[in-house]
């Protein structure tokens, strides 16, 4: 391996390690207590080494949100490869997003915070560009599935386009996941009420213009999605 390639690989591996360490520190003490100086001390690196990766704490936050998007891309791609019709794939991606918020709550919360103007104004253009590329991949996967539902005649809404409908679906899931994480009193946060998520999701999807899946079909899709997420995390 050439020296330049080896150097680039070492830098990439170190950055992945720093991201994992930052997640551990946030899990223990919260993001607001994390500084690049503390990250350097925990990683046993100089501050200069850390600043070679992240110009500021906001840069690190953008990278955490990019990692959240990369995981979602893996989940969505795995769902698309399942032998399902386009509607089941749409449900599968919605459930994969919920599952991501539940299994990686720190990443999910970072991805929300990283959308604020205050963070984006301080982060480097390079970090923002790299995150945009990952999110563009995710949008392409979702868009291809939505387009398939239209071609297969599975979307029927004379008032909304499929693009607007899927944006509304995404907003619902984001709102659900945010409430699920931020409020312990939220109804769906209680184990006895978790089974209501599926019929609520089916009602929303149906109201937006796609076919409603029955409870048994939804349960099958959910189980498959859980396996997809577990396999992708290994």
């Amino acid at each position: 391996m050439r020296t330049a390639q080896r150097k680039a690989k070492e830098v990439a591996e170190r950055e992945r390690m720093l991201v994992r360490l930052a997640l551990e520190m946030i899990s223990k003490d919260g993001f607001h207590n994390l500084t690049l100086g503390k990250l350097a001390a925990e990683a046993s690196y100089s501050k200069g080494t850390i600043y070679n990766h992240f110009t500021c704490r906001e840069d690190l936050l953008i990278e955490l949100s990019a990692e959240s998007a990369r995981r979602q891309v893996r989940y969505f791609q795995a769902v698309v490869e399942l032998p399902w019709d386009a509607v089941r794939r749409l449900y599968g991606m919605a459930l994969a997003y919920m599952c991501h918020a539940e299994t990686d709550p720190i990443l999910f919360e970072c991805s929300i915070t990283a959308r604020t103007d205050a963070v984006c104004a301080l982060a480097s253009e390079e970090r923002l560009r790299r995150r945009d590329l990952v999110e563009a991949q995710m949008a392409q996967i979702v868009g291809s599935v939505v387009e398939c539902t239209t071609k297969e005649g599975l979307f029927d809404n004379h008032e909304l386009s499929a693009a607007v409908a899927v944006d509304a679906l995404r907003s619902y899931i984001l709102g659900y996941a945010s409430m699920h994480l931020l409020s312990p009193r939220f109804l769906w946060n209680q184990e006895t009420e978790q089974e209501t998520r599926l019929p609520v999701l089916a009602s929303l999807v149906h109201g937006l213009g796609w076919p409603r899946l029955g409870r048994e079909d939804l349960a099958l899709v959910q189980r498959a999605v859980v396996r997809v997420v577990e396999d992708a995390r290994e």
Side-chain angles (χ1 to χ4, degrees), residues 183-197:
S183 176
R185 294 171 297 175
F186 184 46
L187 178 65
W188 285 343
N189 218 15
Q190 300 172 24
E191 187 173 345
T192 56
E193 301 295 341
Q194 288 184 7
E195 64 180 22
T196 62
R197 298 180 203 176

Side-chain angles (χ1 to χ4, degrees), residues 138-209:
M138 185 162 50
Q140 186 176 20
I141 296 171
V142 175
S144 67
V145 171
V146 172
E147 184 179 356
C148 284
T149 66
T150 302
K151 289 181 177 178
E152 294 173 10
L154 299 172
F155 178 74
D156 182 20
N157 189 325
H158 300 296
E159 297 182 357
L160 298 178
S161 68
V164 171
V166 79
D167 189 54
L169 178 59
R170 184 185 297 115
S171 298
Y172 154 73
I173 297 169
L174 178 63
Y176 152 71
S178 299
M179 291 183 71
H180 177 81
L181 286 171
L182 299 178
S183 176
R185 294 171 297 175
F186 184 46
L187 178 65
W188 285 343
N189 218 15
Q190 300 172 24
E191 187 173 345
T192 56
E193 301 295 341
Q194 288 184 7
E195 64 180 22
T196 62
R197 298 180 203 176
L198 295 182
V200 168
L201 175 63
S203 295
L204 183 69
V205 171
H206 180 62
L208 288 169

Side-chain angles (χ1 to χ4, degrees), residues 21-187:
L21 182 57
L23 284 172
E24 293 174 7
M25 295 173 69
I26 295 170
S27 181
K28 289 188 294 185
D29 302 318
F31 179 76
H32 295 294
N33 291 315
L34 177 66
T35 66
L36 295 187
K38 289 180 180 179
L39 180 60
E42 190 72 18
S44 299
Y45 285 122
S46 68
K47 288 185 180 180
T49 298
I50 302 300
Y51 279 99
N52 283 337
H53 288 273
F54 310 108
T55 61
C56 56
R57 192 174 67 157
E58 287 74 17
D59 247 18
L60 174 57
L61 185 57
I62 294 296
E63 179 56 32
L64 290 170
S65 71
E67 175 60 22
S68 177
R70 281 190 287 269
R71 295 191 188 190
Q72 290 176 66
V73 166
R74 291 200 297 271
Y75 303 154
F76 288 2
Q77 187 59 52
V79 167
V80 167
E81 292 171 359
L82 292 171
W84 291 345
D85 62 19
V87 166
R88 281 169 173 75
R89 289 172 180 169
L90 183 67
Y91 276 94
M93 288 190 297
L95 290 168
Y97 190 8
M98 292 183 182
C99 194
H100 171 60
E102 293 169 356
T103 56
D104 289 301
I106 301 300
L107 273 180
F108 177 76
E109 190 170 357
C110 286
S111 72
I112 295 176
T113 307
R115 306 309 307 181
T116 61
D117 290 342
V119 171
C120 293
L122 294 175
S124 67
E125 289 296 326
E126 176 62 18
R127 285 289 169 186
L128 292 169
R129 186 188 67 82
R130 289 168 61 178
R131 183 183 65 179
D132 287 346
L133 288 174
V134 182
E135 292 186 341
Q137 285 182 276
M138 185 162 50
Q140 186 176 20
I141 296 171
V142 175
S144 67
V145 171
V146 172
E147 184 179 356
C148 284
T149 66
T150 302
K151 289 181 177 178
E152 294 173 10
L154 299 172
F155 178 74
D156 182 20
N157 189 325
H158 300 296
E159 297 182 357
L160 298 178
S161 68
V164 171
V166 79
D167 189 54
L169 178 59
R170 184 185 297 115
S171 298
Y172 154 73
I173 297 169
L174 178 63
Y176 152 71
S178 299
M179 291 183 71
H180 177 81
L181 286 171
L182 299 178
S183 176
R185 294 171 297 175
F186 184 46
L187 178 65

